[in-house]
Amino acid sequence: MWLKPDEILLKNAFKLWVTEDDNEYFVLQRRRGYGDGGGGLTGLLVGTLDTVLDSTSKVAPYRILHHTPDSQVYWSIACGVTKEEIVQHWEWLQQNIMRTLSVFDSSEDITSFVQGKIRGLIAEEGKTSLVLEEDPEKFREALLRFEKWFELPPKEKLVTYYSCSYWRGKVPCQGWLYLSTNFLCFYSYLLGAEVKLIISWDEIWRLEKTSNVILTESIHVLAHGEDHYFSMLMHLNETFVIMEQLADYSVKRLFDKESFQREPALSDPLQITKRGLEAHAKSEQFRTFFRLPKEENLLEVHESFLWVPFSHYNTLGKICLSENYLCFASQDGSQCHVIIPMREVINVEKSDASSRALTVCMRGKRALRFSEVRGYQLLANTIRSRCGISASPQHSASSEAIRGECQSLINHFEDNPEDVTLMVGQKDSSKAVSTEALMTVFHPQDVENLEPKMLKEKMKEQSWNIHFSEYGRGTSMFFTRKTRDLIVRGVPEALRGELWMLFSGAVNDMATHPGHYSDLVEQSLGTSTLATDEIERDLHRSLPEHPAFQSDTGISALRRVLTAYAYRNPKIGYCQAMNILTSVLLLYAKEEEAFWLLVAVCERMLPDYFNRRIIGALVDQAVFEDLIRENLPQLVEHMTDLSFFSSVSLSWFLTLFISVLPIESAVNVVDCFFYDGIKAILQLGLAVLDYNLGALISCQDDAEAVTILNKFFDSVTNKDSPLPSTVQQASVGNNDRASHLNVDISELIREAYEKYGNIRTEDVESSRKRNKLHVIQTLEDTTKQNVIRVVTQEVQFSASHLDDLYNLFKRQHFLCCYWTMKSPALLHHDPSLAYLDQYQLGFQQFSGLFSLLEPWAFCNSKSPLSLWVFRLIDENQDGLVNFKEFCYALDTLYSGSFTNKLKFLFKLHLPPAFDLPEDGVIKKSPERGRGKVDLQAYLKQWQTEILRKEETIKDIPRINQTQFIQFSKTLYNIFHGDPEEETLYRAVAHVTSLLLRMEEVGRRLQEPSSPSESTKSADAPAAAEEEEPSQEAGTDLTEMQWSFSFEQVLASLLNEPTVVRFFERPVDVHTKLGQARVAQLKLKANK
């Protein structure tokens, strides 16, 4: 590798280098302790220095120096891991540089030319691979060490590296931590003790920051049941965040493809960089905080002050700019933020140069004033360009009119800062929607009703109208602490749909996708899939007590929304609990609004909740358990196993408490959810347990605890609900009301915010990432245990060997996915399939793994035998082999009887394995997870497997001439290299000759032949006794059609004790699996 020229004053500093070759201008040196004559104390010292010190010249075993005859200064210009690499560089210098140097007159010119040439080579190399790195030269050095020490495939992308200590027991090993796209690697070499660690991100169960008496602060990694600790990091928080991002990236890409496909920024594993990960993390945090569409990315951040008209002061915060939104969030504890869609901006004015201020003018006579903005002119131009506003002095008449309107706004605002309405304005309600919210249709409010509940409802509406007049209404409304206080007290029925749309961000989705919902409804009309079948089944189970869903109006709207969403997002399709949630959305939002609210919930606010494995809900239950341990220690002391609360609370998270609370109370919870996200559900869950703490501590078993919680939920009421009694849900536990006092939902929510409102959203997100690894690995482990339970009934492998085999099989699946997004194995991977079908290998992956595990080394990479084995065990001919099929083949070759092993080899040379085209692995496996599942086909397949009779040797077809010749060749390949190779060859030749004679005798008995033909046939067995008898027999008997049965071949080989002994020789399965584990990654690297 070429290096940026670095000055070295002493040619043989510390006598650590030996000169291998030199000339007038260059010296090639070898590091002491490497190559021939290395080792000893020198080798130990040099190796230790190479690990501890951060310099390529001290790590690479070979280097090239440049010097001139009249100078004592040397320049390092190249280094190499192998002698071949450095010799290639040396020869290039000899051929391309040496002749040119003779034309220069001075040493300075020679040195300048060489340095310029080397820098040019480095720049050319770095155009593609290192262009995104902050310090390309230093990164090249680290990359060299990474490739040398770990020997991973060349495509593996190093992301970053850190100096740290790795703890082996109570002893720290100082070395280097390397974080790449797919692996966490550590290397240390101290006085002869080498420590090398390679862990793939997909194997990690837990990743967290810890501290104890010995390690003040460290990073804990749990993988394969082993704990690994890394400490003494200069930038521990930065290191941990990068590790967390890489682990999360790996999990999404390999296990959780639904969420990964929503992140195009990470689509190419070969282009992942530290800078890219940091930018992606910031964008993700930005989108989550402001509830923006997934397409938005954080582009610019500017610190500034924003004039807050309702408080009459400037609040400090940050302007965050994305492709289509301008957002501001305060940093002074006021919890104030505002979102401005670019589509609403009509102009940007730089009104005050001295205060670096700019004013953003929006439709509806609204304006926001930012001041003390560093680079305010550049920001103004950026906003103009994104809004399509021209900054040119030549304006059209309409542009001048807009500018005049904005200028009058600015002047009025500067003269009358108390005039709030001009600043934040009113909501533009010009959009017309074809349908109404179901609550409006079935329970229109009576304006003249003066009942106390209705009066209180009017008071709530008035409070919100006052809030709108002060803080604005619509997409650019200010979100403040007062907004949350109003939410906690309850949202009036008439405003619920509007506020849900605003707080969730669904209002922006709908505004930027006009007509999308109606198009989906039209396209999905009449479609028949598994999702539509499930939707039809659950339609009448959705709030069946509510009049809106006892009529065709509500049912039809629910059907359209659910079907349209299943059509839009087939990866999720339809999952249970979506019907309950959508029913409530339809009560308060118009049909199209309900659809976009469902999109916001499923794809942003509750990620991964609504899929087959409900990973998101399981992760949040783990977060909930952590919060219980932290906030309710008394409950933890009484109930050490908190998994009970996970099972009980699953419906709380999936339905946002709608399934356990009366509808009139549940909607208040939904109000809080749309404003605060999952944090509101976690807080309420803690408040419910806290409220029932005494009863839960005194209960004797889980059933009693469930009864306590059910009675509590039955007692929750909403005393302020204006809904008629026909709509309000009757409590199941009316008979037990005496023992349980009524609890008002508003009081319960207020208590949840007071006691647990200090839970930070950032901490929840961090806990989600930490627990997601454990949840997914637990699901993966469950899959493995179920697969092994099925397979162990049909093979003789022990449980531990099957466990090792499964890990090898799964890793082989991932090895073809690490460096590409287009691998067939990754495309076919679907966690919603049956356990056995989740991980399958295509032919290329199977061939690599089978060559490592098969007992006789007869399937090399170029041999067609791997293809024949693959075809034989691929029973359903879909071009993929599952773990059960793979184990069956290995079990036969490892533990099968002589007869079964021979039968397996025999069938390799029969259809369908043998007579297909050489390039033809059957490729007819459909894309999985889509369309309607044919349950009858599954039942027929299951019935066929049950009724299938065990195959006998009489059922095996006869083998013809061509197939038998290849069968003989296969036996020769198997025996090659065995100590008894010659004896085995003679045995096969004898059996071949015997079988041909037997065939000839059979022919004579059936059809009399002429003497000449008999003589010709008799010559063939003699030829069969040569070194390659089967080939010559095939040549001589091409005109004759003969075949053998398996019984004949078996009987003949049973008479050869050497052959029988060879096939009955036991295989050391444990050693074979250990060798495969070591060689698996190296095999991929060599390829």
Side-chain angles (χ1 to χ4, degrees), residues 846-861 865-866 869 886 889-890 893-894 904 974 1067 1072 1075-1076:
F846 166 83
S847 177
L849 183 58
F850 190 73
S851 66
L852 294 175
L853 291 171
E854 52 94 3
W856 305 310
F858 69 101
C859 280
N860 56 50
S861 58
L865 282 166
S866 294
V869 173
F886 183 79
L890 278 184
L893 298 179
Y894 278 26
F904 186 88
I974 290 174
V1067 178
K1072 200 74 178 174
Q1075 293 171 346

PDB file of all heavy atoms in Angstrom, residues 846-861 865-866 869 886 889-890 893-894 904 974 1067 1072 1075-1076:
ATOM      1  N   PHE A 846     -25.099 -23.568  -0.112  1.00  0.00           N
ATOM      2  CA  PHE A 846     -25.069 -24.982   0.286  1.00  0.00           C
ATOM      3  C   PHE A 846     -23.740 -25.638  -0.082  1.00  0.00           C
ATOM      4  O   PHE A 846     -23.140 -26.359   0.714  1.00  0.00           O
ATOM      5  CB  PHE A 846     -26.223 -25.724  -0.395  1.00  0.00           C
ATOM      6  CG  PHE A 846     -26.098 -27.223  -0.334  1.00  0.00           C
ATOM      7  CD1 PHE A 846     -26.514 -27.923   0.787  1.00  0.00           C
ATOM      8  CD2 PHE A 846     -25.538 -27.937  -1.397  1.00  0.00           C
ATOM      9  CE1 PHE A 846     -26.383 -29.300   0.849  1.00  0.00           C
ATOM     10  CE2 PHE A 846     -25.404 -29.310  -1.342  1.00  0.00           C
ATOM     11  CZ  PHE A 846     -25.828 -29.991  -0.214  1.00  0.00           C
ATOM     12  N   SER A 847     -23.263 -25.370  -1.279  1.00  0.00           N
ATOM     13  CA  SER A 847     -22.031 -25.993  -1.751  1.00  0.00           C
ATOM     14  C   SER A 847     -20.857 -25.655  -0.841  1.00  0.00           C
ATOM     15  O   SER A 847     -20.056 -26.522  -0.487  1.00  0.00           O
ATOM     16  CB  SER A 847     -21.741 -25.535  -3.184  1.00  0.00           C
ATOM     17  OG  SER A 847     -20.528 -26.070  -3.646  1.00  0.00           O
ATOM     18  N   GLY A 848     -20.761 -24.360  -0.428  1.00  0.00           N
ATOM     19  CA  GLY A 848     -19.664 -23.962   0.438  1.00  0.00           C
ATOM     20  C   GLY A 848     -19.708 -24.652   1.784  1.00  0.00           C
ATOM     21  O   GLY A 848     -18.684 -25.142   2.286  1.00  0.00           O
ATOM     22  N   LEU A 849     -20.896 -24.723   2.397  1.00  0.00           N
ATOM     23  CA  LEU A 849     -21.009 -25.339   3.717  1.00  0.00           C
ATOM     24  C   LEU A 849     -20.871 -26.859   3.648  1.00  0.00           C
ATOM     25  O   LEU A 849     -20.207 -27.470   4.501  1.00  0.00           O
ATOM     26  CB  LEU A 849     -22.366 -24.968   4.341  1.00  0.00           C
ATOM     27  CG  LEU A 849     -22.606 -25.471   5.762  1.00  0.00           C
ATOM     28  CD1 LEU A 849     -21.530 -24.956   6.715  1.00  0.00           C
ATOM     29  CD2 LEU A 849     -23.995 -25.064   6.250  1.00  0.00           C
ATOM     30  N   PHE A 850     -21.442 -27.479   2.630  1.00  0.00           N
ATOM     31  CA  PHE A 850     -21.375 -28.930   2.518  1.00  0.00           C
ATOM     32  C   PHE A 850     -19.937 -29.406   2.293  1.00  0.00           C
ATOM     33  O   PHE A 850     -19.527 -30.450   2.812  1.00  0.00           O
ATOM     34  CB  PHE A 850     -22.275 -29.411   1.370  1.00  0.00           C
ATOM     35  CG  PHE A 850     -22.463 -30.904   1.321  1.00  0.00           C
ATOM     36  CD1 PHE A 850     -23.263 -31.542   2.248  1.00  0.00           C
ATOM     37  CD2 PHE A 850     -21.832 -31.665   0.348  1.00  0.00           C
ATOM     38  CE1 PHE A 850     -23.430 -32.915   2.213  1.00  0.00           C
ATOM     39  CE2 PHE A 850     -21.992 -33.038   0.296  1.00  0.00           C
ATOM     40  CZ  PHE A 850     -22.799 -33.671   1.237  1.00  0.00           C
ATOM     41  N   SER A 851     -19.157 -28.614   1.558  1.00  0.00           N
ATOM     42  CA  SER A 851     -17.763 -28.994   1.330  1.00  0.00           C
ATOM     43  C   SER A 851     -16.952 -28.974   2.619  1.00  0.00           C
ATOM     44  O   SER A 851     -15.957 -29.691   2.742  1.00  0.00           O
ATOM     45  CB  SER A 851     -17.128 -28.057   0.299  1.00  0.00           C
ATOM     46  OG  SER A 851     -17.050 -26.738   0.811  1.00  0.00           O
ATOM     47  N   LEU A 852     -17.371 -28.153   3.598  1.00  0.00           N
ATOM     48  CA  LEU A 852     -16.670 -28.117   4.882  1.00  0.00           C
ATOM     49  C   LEU A 852     -17.062 -29.271   5.795  1.00  0.00           C
ATOM     50  O   LEU A 852     -16.285 -29.669   6.672  1.00  0.00           O
ATOM     51  CB  LEU A 852     -16.979 -26.799   5.610  1.00  0.00           C
ATOM     52  CG  LEU A 852     -16.470 -25.512   4.971  1.00  0.00           C
ATOM     53  CD1 LEU A 852     -16.962 -24.309   5.761  1.00  0.00           C
ATOM     54  CD2 LEU A 852     -14.950 -25.502   4.903  1.00  0.00           C
ATOM     55  N   LEU A 853     -18.263 -29.817   5.599  1.00  0.00           N
ATOM     56  CA  LEU A 853     -18.795 -30.793   6.557  1.00  0.00           C
ATOM     57  C   LEU A 853     -18.836 -32.223   6.049  1.00  0.00           C
ATOM     58  O   LEU A 853     -18.855 -33.160   6.863  1.00  0.00           O
ATOM     59  CB  LEU A 853     -20.214 -30.368   6.979  1.00  0.00           C
ATOM     60  CG  LEU A 853     -20.304 -29.103   7.842  1.00  0.00           C
ATOM     61  CD1 LEU A 853     -21.754 -28.672   7.997  1.00  0.00           C
ATOM     62  CD2 LEU A 853     -19.690 -29.343   9.210  1.00  0.00           C
ATOM     63  N   GLU A 854     -18.889 -32.433   4.740  1.00  0.00           N
ATOM     64  CA  GLU A 854     -19.025 -33.820   4.253  1.00  0.00           C
ATOM     65  C   GLU A 854     -17.766 -34.619   4.631  1.00  0.00           C
ATOM     66  O   GLU A 854     -16.655 -34.090   4.633  1.00  0.00           O
ATOM     67  CB  GLU A 854     -19.317 -33.849   2.755  1.00  0.00           C
ATOM     68  CG  GLU A 854     -18.361 -33.059   1.884  1.00  0.00           C
ATOM     69  CD  GLU A 854     -17.263 -33.942   1.349  1.00  0.00           C
ATOM     70  OE1 GLU A 854     -17.296 -35.154   1.615  1.00  0.00           O
ATOM     71  OE2 GLU A 854     -16.372 -33.410   0.682  1.00  0.00           O
ATOM     72  N   PRO A 855     -17.929 -35.899   4.962  1.00  0.00           N
ATOM     73  CA  PRO A 855     -16.861 -36.648   5.638  1.00  0.00           C
ATOM     74  C   PRO A 855     -15.703 -37.098   4.759  1.00  0.00           C
ATOM     75  O   PRO A 855     -14.640 -37.436   5.283  1.00  0.00           O
ATOM     76  CB  PRO A 855     -17.611 -37.857   6.214  1.00  0.00           C
ATOM     77  CG  PRO A 855     -18.787 -38.048   5.306  1.00  0.00           C
ATOM     78  CD  PRO A 855     -19.177 -36.680   4.856  1.00  0.00           C
ATOM     79  N   TRP A 856     -15.846 -37.113   3.408  1.00  0.00           N
ATOM     80  CA  TRP A 856     -14.821 -37.757   2.591  1.00  0.00           C
ATOM     81  C   TRP A 856     -14.114 -36.799   1.640  1.00  0.00           C
ATOM     82  O   TRP A 856     -13.316 -37.235   0.811  1.00  0.00           O
ATOM     83  CB  TRP A 856     -15.441 -38.906   1.770  1.00  0.00           C
ATOM     84  CG  TRP A 856     -16.156 -39.893   2.627  1.00  0.00           C
ATOM     85  CD1 TRP A 856     -15.672 -40.499   3.745  1.00  0.00           C
ATOM     86  CD2 TRP A 856     -17.491 -40.369   2.447  1.00  0.00           C
ATOM     87  NE1 TRP A 856     -16.625 -41.325   4.292  1.00  0.00           N
ATOM     88  CE2 TRP A 856     -17.755 -41.277   3.507  1.00  0.00           C
ATOM     89  CE3 TRP A 856     -18.491 -40.139   1.512  1.00  0.00           C
ATOM     90  CZ2 TRP A 856     -18.970 -41.935   3.638  1.00  0.00           C
ATOM     91  CZ3 TRP A 856     -19.691 -40.798   1.644  1.00  0.00           C
ATOM     92  CH2 TRP A 856     -19.929 -41.681   2.699  1.00  0.00           C
ATOM     93  N   ALA A 857     -14.419 -35.517   1.734  1.00  0.00           N
ATOM     94  CA  ALA A 857     -13.766 -34.513   0.890  1.00  0.00           C
ATOM     95  C   ALA A 857     -13.885 -34.844  -0.592  1.00  0.00           C
ATOM     96  O   ALA A 857     -12.938 -34.721  -1.346  1.00  0.00           O
ATOM     97  CB  ALA A 857     -12.299 -34.373   1.281  1.00  0.00           C
ATOM     98  N   PHE A 858     -15.081 -35.273  -1.009  1.00  0.00           N
ATOM     99  CA  PHE A 858     -15.267 -35.606  -2.422  1.00  0.00           C
ATOM    100  C   PHE A 858     -16.039 -34.527  -3.166  1.00  0.00           C
ATOM    101  O   PHE A 858     -16.228 -34.604  -4.365  1.00  0.00           O
ATOM    102  CB  PHE A 858     -16.001 -36.953  -2.563  1.00  0.00           C
ATOM    103  CG  PHE A 858     -17.438 -36.934  -2.125  1.00  0.00           C
ATOM    104  CD1 PHE A 858     -18.472 -36.844  -3.051  1.00  0.00           C
ATOM    105  CD2 PHE A 858     -17.773 -37.017  -0.784  1.00  0.00           C
ATOM    106  CE1 PHE A 858     -19.784 -36.832  -2.650  1.00  0.00           C
ATOM    107  CE2 PHE A 858     -19.088 -37.003  -0.375  1.00  0.00           C
ATOM    108  CZ  PHE A 858     -20.099 -36.918  -1.313  1.00  0.00           C
ATOM    109  N   CYS A 859     -16.491 -33.496  -2.439  1.00  0.00           N
ATOM    110  CA  CYS A 859     -17.253 -32.413  -3.075  1.00  0.00           C
ATOM    111  C   CYS A 859     -16.433 -31.130  -3.045  1.00  0.00           C
ATOM    112  O   CYS A 859     -16.639 -30.267  -2.199  1.00  0.00           O
ATOM    113  CB  CYS A 859     -18.587 -32.195  -2.349  1.00  0.00           C
ATOM    114  SG  CYS A 859     -19.867 -33.358  -2.786  1.00  0.00           S
ATOM    115  N   ASN A 860     -15.488 -30.999  -3.944  1.00  0.00           N
ATOM    116  CA  ASN A 860     -14.765 -29.733  -4.004  1.00  0.00           C
ATOM    117  C   ASN A 860     -15.593 -28.709  -4.781  1.00  0.00           C
ATOM    118  O   ASN A 860     -16.645 -29.017  -5.325  1.00  0.00           O
ATOM    119  CB  ASN A 860     -13.373 -29.919  -4.635  1.00  0.00           C
ATOM    120  CG  ASN A 860     -13.454 -30.538  -6.019  1.00  0.00           C
ATOM    121  OD1 ASN A 860     -14.213 -30.074  -6.869  1.00  0.00           O
ATOM    122  ND2 ASN A 860     -12.704 -31.601  -6.252  1.00  0.00           N
ATOM    123  N   SER A 861     -15.075 -27.477  -4.815  1.00  0.00           N
ATOM    124  CA  SER A 861     -15.857 -26.378  -5.394  1.00  0.00           C
ATOM    125  C   SER A 861     -16.145 -26.578  -6.881  1.00  0.00           C
ATOM    126  O   SER A 861     -17.134 -26.066  -7.395  1.00  0.00           O
ATOM    127  CB  SER A 861     -15.117 -25.057  -5.186  1.00  0.00           C
ATOM    128  OG  SER A 861     -13.825 -25.128  -5.773  1.00  0.00           O
ATOM    129  N   LEU A 865     -20.655 -32.908  -8.025  1.00  0.00           N
ATOM    130  CA  LEU A 865     -21.306 -33.706  -6.996  1.00  0.00           C
ATOM    131  C   LEU A 865     -22.108 -32.853  -6.018  1.00  0.00           C
ATOM    132  O   LEU A 865     -23.164 -33.262  -5.532  1.00  0.00           O
ATOM    133  CB  LEU A 865     -20.265 -34.529  -6.227  1.00  0.00           C
ATOM    134  CG  LEU A 865     -19.771 -35.788  -6.957  1.00  0.00           C
ATOM    135  CD1 LEU A 865     -18.537 -36.331  -6.294  1.00  0.00           C
ATOM    136  CD2 LEU A 865     -20.861 -36.838  -6.985  1.00  0.00           C
ATOM    137  N   SER A 866     -21.596 -31.650  -5.698  1.00  0.00           N
ATOM    138  CA  SER A 866     -22.356 -30.757  -4.804  1.00  0.00           C
ATOM    139  C   SER A 866     -23.717 -30.436  -5.401  1.00  0.00           C
ATOM    140  O   SER A 866     -24.728 -30.400  -4.692  1.00  0.00           O
ATOM    141  CB  SER A 866     -21.584 -29.451  -4.564  1.00  0.00           C
ATOM    142  OG  SER A 866     -20.407 -29.682  -3.850  1.00  0.00           O
ATOM    143  N   VAL A 869     -25.961 -33.515  -5.010  1.00  0.00           N
ATOM    144  CA  VAL A 869     -26.433 -33.662  -3.629  1.00  0.00           C
ATOM    145  C   VAL A 869     -27.539 -32.649  -3.363  1.00  0.00           C
ATOM    146  O   VAL A 869     -28.570 -32.966  -2.760  1.00  0.00           O
ATOM    147  CB  VAL A 869     -25.271 -33.474  -2.628  1.00  0.00           C
ATOM    148  CG1 VAL A 869     -25.799 -33.467  -1.199  1.00  0.00           C
ATOM    149  CG2 VAL A 869     -24.232 -34.565  -2.807  1.00  0.00           C
ATOM    150  N   PHE A 886     -30.866 -30.544   4.980  1.00  0.00           N
ATOM    151  CA  PHE A 886     -29.403 -30.524   5.090  1.00  0.00           C
ATOM    152  C   PHE A 886     -28.930 -31.538   6.128  1.00  0.00           C
ATOM    153  O   PHE A 886     -27.975 -32.295   5.885  1.00  0.00           O
ATOM    154  CB  PHE A 886     -28.960 -29.110   5.476  1.00  0.00           C
ATOM    155  CG  PHE A 886     -27.483 -28.928   5.546  1.00  0.00           C
ATOM    156  CD1 PHE A 886     -26.728 -28.764   4.397  1.00  0.00           C
ATOM    157  CD2 PHE A 886     -26.832 -28.919   6.764  1.00  0.00           C
ATOM    158  CE1 PHE A 886     -25.357 -28.599   4.456  1.00  0.00           C
ATOM    159  CE2 PHE A 886     -25.465 -28.750   6.838  1.00  0.00           C
ATOM    160  CZ  PHE A 886     -24.725 -28.590   5.684  1.00  0.00           C
ATOM    161  N   ALA A 889     -29.118 -35.266   4.985  1.00  0.00           N
ATOM    162  CA  ALA A 889     -28.007 -35.694   4.131  1.00  0.00           C
ATOM    163  C   ALA A 889     -26.758 -35.949   4.953  1.00  0.00           C
ATOM    164  O   ALA A 889     -26.081 -36.983   4.790  1.00  0.00           O
ATOM    165  CB  ALA A 889     -27.735 -34.631   3.062  1.00  0.00           C
ATOM    166  N   LEU A 890     -26.420 -35.027   5.856  1.00  0.00           N
ATOM    167  CA  LEU A 890     -25.214 -35.201   6.670  1.00  0.00           C
ATOM    168  C   LEU A 890     -25.338 -36.396   7.606  1.00  0.00           C
ATOM    169  O   LEU A 890     -24.374 -37.134   7.818  1.00  0.00           O
ATOM    170  CB  LEU A 890     -24.949 -33.938   7.490  1.00  0.00           C
ATOM    171  CG  LEU A 890     -24.245 -32.777   6.799  1.00  0.00           C
ATOM    172  CD1 LEU A 890     -23.974 -31.668   7.788  1.00  0.00           C
ATOM    173  CD2 LEU A 890     -22.941 -33.221   6.161  1.00  0.00           C
ATOM    174  N   LEU A 893     -24.570 -39.568   5.782  1.00  0.00           N
ATOM    175  CA  LEU A 893     -23.147 -39.751   5.496  1.00  0.00           C
ATOM    176  C   LEU A 893     -22.313 -39.946   6.759  1.00  0.00           C
ATOM    177  O   LEU A 893     -21.268 -40.586   6.721  1.00  0.00           O
ATOM    178  CB  LEU A 893     -22.621 -38.536   4.721  1.00  0.00           C
ATOM    179  CG  LEU A 893     -23.275 -38.291   3.353  1.00  0.00           C
ATOM    180  CD1 LEU A 893     -22.682 -37.055   2.706  1.00  0.00           C
ATOM    181  CD2 LEU A 893     -23.093 -39.495   2.437  1.00  0.00           C
ATOM    182  N   TYR A 894     -22.768 -39.389   7.883  1.00  0.00           N
ATOM    183  CA  TYR A 894     -22.020 -39.521   9.139  1.00  0.00           C
ATOM    184  C   TYR A 894     -22.356 -40.814   9.884  1.00  0.00           C
ATOM    185  O   TYR A 894     -21.472 -41.547  10.309  1.00  0.00           O
ATOM    186  CB  TYR A 894     -22.329 -38.337  10.063  1.00  0.00           C
ATOM    187  CG  TYR A 894     -21.543 -37.081   9.786  1.00  0.00           C
ATOM    188  CD1 TYR A 894     -21.038 -36.805   8.515  1.00  0.00           C
ATOM    189  CD2 TYR A 894     -21.325 -36.135  10.772  1.00  0.00           C
ATOM    190  CE1 TYR A 894     -20.341 -35.643   8.250  1.00  0.00           C
ATOM    191  CE2 TYR A 894     -20.623 -34.969  10.523  1.00  0.00           C
ATOM    192  CZ  TYR A 894     -20.131 -34.720   9.255  1.00  0.00           C
ATOM    193  OH  TYR A 894     -19.429 -33.576   9.006  1.00  0.00           O
ATOM    194  N   PHE A 904     -27.527 -43.582  -0.696  1.00  0.00           N
ATOM    195  CA  PHE A 904     -27.437 -42.138  -0.922  1.00  0.00           C
ATOM    196  C   PHE A 904     -26.542 -41.829  -2.125  1.00  0.00           C
ATOM    197  O   PHE A 904     -26.906 -41.047  -3.005  1.00  0.00           O
ATOM    198  CB  PHE A 904     -26.886 -41.454   0.342  1.00  0.00           C
ATOM    199  CG  PHE A 904     -26.882 -39.962   0.276  1.00  0.00           C
ATOM    200  CD1 PHE A 904     -27.986 -39.232   0.662  1.00  0.00           C
ATOM    201  CD2 PHE A 904     -25.762 -39.282  -0.172  1.00  0.00           C
ATOM    202  CE1 PHE A 904     -27.986 -37.840   0.602  1.00  0.00           C
ATOM    203  CE2 PHE A 904     -25.750 -37.896  -0.246  1.00  0.00           C
ATOM    204  CZ  PHE A 904     -26.863 -37.176   0.149  1.00  0.00           C
ATOM    205  N   ILE A 974     -13.972 -40.574  -3.777  1.00  0.00           N
ATOM    206  CA  ILE A 974     -14.122 -40.712  -2.330  1.00  0.00           C
ATOM    207  C   ILE A 974     -12.893 -41.384  -1.718  1.00  0.00           C
ATOM    208  O   ILE A 974     -12.413 -40.978  -0.647  1.00  0.00           O
ATOM    209  CB  ILE A 974     -15.396 -41.523  -2.011  1.00  0.00           C
ATOM    210  CG1 ILE A 974     -16.644 -40.686  -2.349  1.00  0.00           C
ATOM    211  CG2 ILE A 974     -15.435 -41.934  -0.547  1.00  0.00           C
ATOM    212  CD1 ILE A 974     -17.941 -41.435  -2.200  1.00  0.00           C
ATOM    213  N   VAL A1067     -17.091 -41.160  12.129  1.00  0.00           N
ATOM    214  CA  VAL A1067     -16.667 -39.777  11.869  1.00  0.00           C
ATOM    215  C   VAL A1067     -16.687 -39.008  13.185  1.00  0.00           C
ATOM    216  O   VAL A1067     -17.659 -39.085  13.943  1.00  0.00           O
ATOM    217  CB  VAL A1067     -17.604 -39.097  10.845  1.00  0.00           C
ATOM    218  CG1 VAL A1067     -17.182 -37.658  10.612  1.00  0.00           C
ATOM    219  CG2 VAL A1067     -17.632 -39.873   9.548  1.00  0.00           C
ATOM    220  N   LYS A1072     -15.121 -32.278  13.361  1.00  0.00           N
ATOM    221  CA  LYS A1072     -15.530 -31.787  12.051  1.00  0.00           C
ATOM    222  C   LYS A1072     -16.258 -30.443  12.170  1.00  0.00           C
ATOM    223  O   LYS A1072     -16.023 -29.510  11.393  1.00  0.00           O
ATOM    224  CB  LYS A1072     -16.449 -32.815  11.392  1.00  0.00           C
ATOM    225  CG  LYS A1072     -16.577 -32.680   9.892  1.00  0.00           C
ATOM    226  CD  LYS A1072     -15.341 -33.168   9.185  1.00  0.00           C
ATOM    227  CE  LYS A1072     -15.489 -33.074   7.683  1.00  0.00           C
ATOM    228  NZ  LYS A1072     -14.242 -33.420   6.984  1.00  0.00           N
ATOM    229  N   GLN A1075     -13.724 -27.664  13.071  1.00  0.00           N
ATOM    230  CA  GLN A1075     -12.946 -27.252  11.897  1.00  0.00           C
ATOM    231  C   GLN A1075     -13.785 -26.389  10.953  1.00  0.00           C
ATOM    232  O   GLN A1075     -13.286 -25.406  10.380  1.00  0.00           O
ATOM    233  CB  GLN A1075     -12.427 -28.483  11.164  1.00  0.00           C
ATOM    234  CG  GLN A1075     -11.382 -29.279  11.944  1.00  0.00           C
ATOM    235  CD  GLN A1075     -11.050 -30.605  11.281  1.00  0.00           C
ATOM    236  OE1 GLN A1075     -11.776 -31.066  10.386  1.00  0.00           O
ATOM    237  NE2 GLN A1075      -9.964 -31.234  11.721  1.00  0.00           N
ATOM    238  N   ALA A1076     -15.057 -26.740  10.819  1.00  0.00           N
ATOM    239  CA  ALA A1076     -15.933 -25.966   9.930  1.00  0.00           C
ATOM    240  C   ALA A1076     -16.149 -24.557  10.469  1.00  0.00           C
ATOM    241  O   ALA A1076     -16.191 -23.589   9.700  1.00  0.00           O
ATOM    242  CB  ALA A1076     -17.276 -26.676   9.775  1.00  0.00           C
TER     243      ALA A1076
END
